[in-house]
């Protein structure tokens, strides 16, 4: 199917009322998740996963994808108006956005953020539409060694990018890999680490782990700090128009942010967050108004907001074309497909065109809906912050418990949720990033089966990974990623000494 | 922070040893025909190496304080954990509406800021409404026990 026919097919699917409802509901929940600090898009997707099991695969993915990219829009609103980033990817927006609000330009900042998000989102979908089928066709020639190399590259790169010492990230990653080995061996069905508990033969469910690490972990942090309500800046509709000078400065930043974000999305790592910070740094370096950064530079809002939205679309390229998630958010979307019995991978686009094109078309509709939702209804979203924290926490706890329990109607999942909640809380306290654990849990089974298949196919010769050009290239790239930074650091240190 | 990280890394090391001991029981096979214990051995090695390296890396870190909850903050955090445990224990025997009402009440009480009648009303409402929404409208079965058959 060529892109135009595919897109038209996708739009025809989105015209079905249930799918249209899924788009709107997804972006509404996404915006809410972005506005409210706490649960985050990964936790919200996990919460709604049990509900979507009854829906058709495309409807389910359309709704969950809406939460994923919708949260990026919502995050900017509270960053600008109350200096509370609902999402980590909105932290750079808060720096200059809040300063603009303090100077009475909150409306302009909100409008630029929303338009930038819309432009980046729309251009990002075009990129997704063009890149994903090409990459999927190319990936059809991939065998187990290539998929092993991709999964390994994704996991290790994320550990390097998520910040903090390398070994610390690898420790979190190995926790996830170890968790993923619980249950039946994927090749021989041999039960492993089940402790004689029957339910564990099915393995550890992803949903309670994610909800525990993100949802309960965050709830415990909020409970600890429980404070008053933030001071909210009021914005009238007539204020939502940036002046000509502001537009002139914002447009190039929007386009640069889109490019930066989309490229980050294709690379393994928490791309929305990294792209937002990269874009902010880029804007600061090349701006003619460098002194304004940190005091209300509009480029500091336009760039990062466009970047984090483009990154969410870019991150869907490897997820939909290779079946490999590079971010925790896309890992959850992939989990939603797997729950529906769909095997993600390069054949997804040809074998399940309704899923791929349905999602692509929904992204166009969702971006328009988000623009409408985020500008005229800005006051409504901000008023959500007036809901007492105790009620929000109680609601999140209830949804988290229900989400974990209803996956299998099992108390074991609730225990996993509780344990992971405590782990998530402790990791936050000592500044350990939990996202490598999620990716390891998703990619672990793939890593194991492709490793064993590769060795089996080549009669136990591990050189197969370096004999095939693509896997060899990816593994050399991985080696470079691991070796280059310490070598460069060493050289820099030595040159400084001499 | 340094001590907390050291404790965590030491815990991970212990977990790695237990994991390795459990892995030893599974047939690893050969490189030609890898068995169910083949890949977990690699994971165990990574877990042990990374935990040892984290211990070593943490030792060279400067001291950074972790703010552990104290006083009221500790009480709030413990109460939320208690609320979660209460739900897990009560759900099979008392059903979702009762378990969730109690869990909600404990968390509302812990975080404060609301009056007693509001807390009681919200707890009961959330218990019944979430049961009705999931069990009746979304068709996701929940244990109702004596309250809702």
């Amino acid at each position: 199917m060529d892109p135009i026919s595919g897109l038209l097919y996708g739009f025809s699917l989105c015209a079905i009322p249930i799918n249209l409802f899924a788009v709107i509901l997804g972006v509404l929940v996404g915006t809410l998740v972005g506005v409210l600090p706490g649960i985050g898009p990964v936790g919200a997707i996990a919460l709604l996963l049990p509900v979507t099991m009854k829906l058709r695969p495309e409807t389910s993915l359309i709704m969950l994808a809406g939460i994923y990219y919708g949260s990026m829009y919502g995050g900017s609103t509270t960053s600008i108006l109350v200096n509370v980033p609902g999402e980590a990817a909105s932290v750079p927006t808060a720096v200059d956005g809040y300063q603009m609000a303090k100077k009475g330009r909150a409306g302009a900042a909100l409008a630029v953020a929303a338009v930038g998000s819309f432009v980046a989102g729309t251009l990002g979908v075009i990129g997704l539409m063009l890149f994903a089928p090409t990459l999927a066709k190319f990936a059809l020639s991939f065998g187990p060694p290539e998929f092993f190399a991709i999964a390994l590259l994704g996991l290790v790169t994320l550990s390097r990018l998520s910040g903090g010492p390398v070994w610390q990230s690898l420790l979190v990653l190995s926790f996830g890999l170890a968790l993923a080995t619980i249950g039946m061996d994927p090749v021989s069905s041999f039960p492993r680490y089940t402790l004689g508990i029957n339910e564990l033969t099915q393995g550890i469910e992803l949903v309670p782990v994610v909800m525990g690490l993100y949802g309960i972990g965050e709830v415990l942090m909020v409970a600890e700090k429980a404070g008053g309500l933030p001071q909210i800046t009021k914005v009238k509709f007539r204020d939502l128009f940036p002046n000509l000078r502001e537009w002139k400065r914002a447009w190039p930043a929007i386009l640069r942010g889109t490019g930066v974000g989309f490229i980050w999305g294709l690379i393994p790592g928490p791309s929305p967050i990294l792209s937002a910070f990269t874009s902010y740094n880029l804007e600061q370096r090349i701006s003619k108004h460098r002194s304004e950064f940190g005091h209300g530079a509009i480029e500091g809002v336009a760039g990062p907001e466009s970047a984090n939205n483009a990154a969410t679309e870019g991150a869907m390229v490897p997820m939909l074309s290779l079946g490999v998630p590079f971010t925790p958010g896309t890992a959850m979307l992939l989990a939603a497909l797997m729950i529906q019995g769909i095997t993600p991978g390069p054949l997804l686009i040809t074998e399940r065109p309704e899923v791929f094109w349905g999602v692509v078309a929904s992204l166009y509709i969702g971006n328009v809906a988000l623009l409408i939702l985020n500008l005229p209804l800005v006051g409504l979203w901000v008023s959500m912050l007036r809901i007492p924290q105790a009620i929000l926490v109680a609601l999140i706890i209830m949804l988290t418990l229900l989400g974990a329990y209803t996956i299998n109607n099992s108390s074991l999942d609730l225990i996993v949720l509780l344990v992971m909640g405590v782990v998530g809380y402790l990791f936050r306290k000592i500044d350990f990033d939990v996202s490598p654990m999620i990716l390891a849990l998703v990619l672990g089974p793939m890593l194991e089966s492709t490793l064993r298949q590769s060795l089996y196919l080549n009669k136990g010769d591990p050189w197969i990974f370096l004999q095939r050009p693509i896997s060899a290239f990816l593994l050399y790239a991985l080696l470079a990623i691991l070796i280059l930074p310490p070598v460069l650091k060493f050289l820099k240190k030595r040159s400084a000494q001499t | 922070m340094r001590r907390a990280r050291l404790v965590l890394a030491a815990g991970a090391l212990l977990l790695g040893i237990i994991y390795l001991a459990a892995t030893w029981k599974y047939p690893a096979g050969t490189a030609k025909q890898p068995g169910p214990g083949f890949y977990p051995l690699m994971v165990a090695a990574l877990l042990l190496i990374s935990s040892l390296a984290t211990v070593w890396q943490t030792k060279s870190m400067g001291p950074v304080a972790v703010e552990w909850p104290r006083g009221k903050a500790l009480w709030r955090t413990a109460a939320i954990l208690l609320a979660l445990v209460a739900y897990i224990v009560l759900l099979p025997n008392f059903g979702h509406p009762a378990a969730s009402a109690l869990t909600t009440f404990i968390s509302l009480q812990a975080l404060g800021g609301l009056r007693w009648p509001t807390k009681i009303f919200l707890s009961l409402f959330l218990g019944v409404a979430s049961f009705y929404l999931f069990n009746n409208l979304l068709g996701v079965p929940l244990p109702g026990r004596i309250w809702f058959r």
Side-chain angles (χ1 to χ4, degrees):
Chain A
M1 203 178 289
D2 65 273
I4 301 296
S5 329
L7 191 62
L8 290 173
Y9 174 56
F11 277 122
S12 71
L13 286 168
C14 285
I16 300 170
I18 180 83
N19 289 341
L20 197 60
F21 178 70
V23 182
I24 305 298
L25 185 67
V27 297
L28 265 170
V29 174
T31 308
L32 192 62
V33 163
V35 166
L36 298 172
I39 193 114
V42 180
I45 294 172
L47 280 179
L48 286 174
L49 218 49
V51 177
T52 61
M53 278 155 70
K54 296 217 161 196
L55 302 172
R56 288 187 58 80
E58 65 272 21
T59 313
S60 152
L61 201 64
I62 283 170
M63 187 169 95
L64 299 177
I67 298 174
Y68 183 48
Y69 60 85
S71 65
M72 297 298 141
Y73 273 74
S76 62
T77 308
T78 44
S79 291
I80 293 165
L81 294 181
V82 279
N83 202 17
V84 177
E87 260 306 295
S90 300
V91 171
T93 311
V95 178
D96 282 284
Y98 186 60
Q99 291 302 323
M100 283 182 73
K102 276 168 80 177
K103 288 177 183 169
R105 299 301 297 151
L110 283 168
V112 162
V115 173
S117 299
F118 171 73
V119 171
T122 310
L123 292 177
V125 191
I126 295 171
L128 167 68
M129 204 172 84
L130 300 175
F131 270 97
T134 317
L135 189 60
K137 261 186 209 161
F138 180 58
L140 283 175
S141 60
F142 288 8
E146 285 78 15
F147 278 107
F148 172 77
I150 291 171
L152 194 64
L153 180 74
L155 280 175
V156 178
T157 318
L158 179 76
S159 310
R160 294 286 296 120
L161 291 175
S162 55
V166 184
W167 288 110
Q168 177 184 304
S169 305
L170 284 176
L171 178 65
V172 180
L173 184 86
S174 52
F175 264 139
L177 290 175
L179 271 183
T181 57
I182 295 174
M184 286 231 257
D185 164 34
V187 180
S188 64
S189 299
F190 190 96
R192 298 183 300 199
Y193 317 103
T194 54
L195 309 169
I197 301 167
N198 252 346
E199 283 165 298
L200 276 180
T201 52
Q202 298 303 316
I204 297 276
E205 281 287 348
L206 180 68
V207 174
V209 174
V210 176
M211 285 178 161
L213 289 174
Y214 285 88
I216 299 297
E218 192 60 44
V219 158
L220 291 172
M221 290 296 283
V222 170
E224 192 187 307
K225 288 182 187 131
L229 298 173
Q231 206 75 38
I232 296 169
T233 312
K234 280 188 179 168
V235 181
K236 287 175 186 157
F237 187 72
R238 64 165 185 269
D239 295 334
L240 290 170
F241 295 99
N243 57 40
L244 198 63
R245 191 176 154 268
E246 285 167 333
W247 273 128
K248 264 188 180 170
R249 284 176 58 178
W251 271 111
I254 289 173
L255 296 176
R256 280 190 294 268
T258 305
V260 166
F262 192 77
I263 292 166
W264 263 117
L266 301 173
I267 300 168
S271 46
I273 303 167
L274 293 171
S275 65
F277 280 96
T278 311
S279 167
Y280 188 84
N281 281 338
L282 175 74
E283 292 307 323
Q284 199 174 18
R285 274 166 196 260
I286 63 170
S287 176
K288 286 176 194 164
H289 313 92
R290 215 176 286 183
S291 59
E292 282 183 33
F293 276 80
H295 306 285
I298 199 154
E299 297 93 331
V301 175
E305 269 311 302
S306 312
N308 65 33
N309 277 274
T312 57
E313 322 283 3
M316 286 195 206
V317 175
M319 192 268 285
L320 291 170
S321 56
L322 302 175
V324 182
F326 283 165
T327 65
T330 49
M332 288 311 297
L333 296 179
L334 207 68
L337 280 181
M338 285 152 86
I339 284 174
Q340 298 267 4
I342 292 177
T343 315
L347 288 172
L348 178 85
I349 299 174
T350 42
E351 284 182 353
R352 304 300 298 254
E354 75 281 8
V355 173
F356 178 75
W357 291 110
V359 170
V360 168
S362 79
L363 293 173
Y364 283 103
I365 298 170
N367 273 302
V368 176
L370 280 165
L371 188 67
I372 298 166
L373 281 173
N374 276 272
L375 282 179
L377 298 182
V378 65
L380 174 79
W381 296 116
V382 177
S383 67
M384 293 290 171
L385 289 174
R386 291 198 179 96
I387 299 174
Q389 205 173 41
I391 295 177
L392 280 178
V393 168
L395 265 173
I396 292 172
I397 290 176
M398 195 39 55
L399 286 171
T400 316
L401 288 166
L402 278 167
Y405 181 77
T406 51
I407 288 278
N408 293 316
N409 276 19
S410 151
S411 293
L412 182 74
D413 288 335
L414 290 176
I415 295 167
V416 171
L417 173 88
L418 179 66
V419 172
M420 287 299 149
V422 175
V423 170
Y425 169 72
L426 292 176
F427 275 22
R428 273 178 176 80
K429 292 299 287 183
I430 58 169
D431 210 17
F432 270 38
D433 179 22
V434 293
S435 58
M437 203 196 291
I438 304 295
L439 282 196
L441 202 57
V442 175
L443 289 176
M446 178 182 170
L447 202 66
E448 177 174 10
S449 51
T450 51
L451 170 71
R452 284 167 71 178
Q453 282 164 4
S454 305
L455 289 173
Y456 186 75
L457 286 173
N458 213 35
K459 295 179 180 142
D461 184 2
W463 291 107
I464 189 169
F465 297 109
L466 298 178
Q467 282 162 357
R468 300 182 53 140
I470 296 167
S471 65
F473 170 76
L474 293 170
L475 291 176
Y476 284 130
L478 176 64
L479 203 66
I481 288 167
L482 285 173
I483 290 175
L484 273 179
V487 169
L488 289 174
K489 203 174 163 185
F490 173 74
L491 291 175
K492 210 173 163 184
K493 208 173 168 182
R494 216 174 65 167
S495 69
Q497 278 172 352
T498 52
Chain B
M1 174 105 66
R2 205 167 69 168
R3 205 166 65 180
R5 281 181 182 219
L6 276 175
V7 169
L8 186 112
L13 189 66
L14 186 70
L15 211 71
I17 293 167
I18 296 169
Y19 183 82
L20 182 68
T23 307
W24 222 253
K25 289 185 214 152
Y26 308 131
T30 59
K32 262 186 194 176
Q33 266 195 323
F38 184 82
Y39 170 79
L41 268 179
M42 295 178 173
V43 176
L46 182 67
L47 193 55
L48 288 173
I49 294 168
S50 55
S51 48
L52 276 173
T54 308
V55 170
W56 174 74
Q57 223 169 26
T58 310
K59 275 191 155 182
S60 57
M61 264 176 70
V64 184
V66 182
E67 267 186 56
W68 294 107
R70 283 179 192 183
K72 279 187 179 172
L74 180 64
W75 147 244
R76 282 195 299 264
T77 314
I80 296 292
L81 280 173
L82 175 76
L84 292 167
V85 173
Y87 185 84
I88 298 171
V89 173
L90 295 178
L91 182 73
N93 299 314
F94 293 91
H96 172 78
S100 66
L102 186 71
T103 302
T104 308
F105 183 78
I106 297 173
S107 43
L108 290 176
Q109 176 69 18
L111 292 166
L114 298 171
R115 286 184 301 171
W116 275 83
T118 317
K119 280 187 270 196
I120 292 169
F121 169 76
L122 277 173
S123 306
L124 292 174
F125 174 76
L126 211 59
V128 176
S130 59
F131 180 81
Y132 184 75
L133 177 73
F134 275 78
N135 198 67
N136 297 32
L137 292 182
L138 299 172
V140 182
L142 286 173
R145 296 293 155 191
I146 51 166
W147 318 97
F148 296 87
R149 284 185 190 276

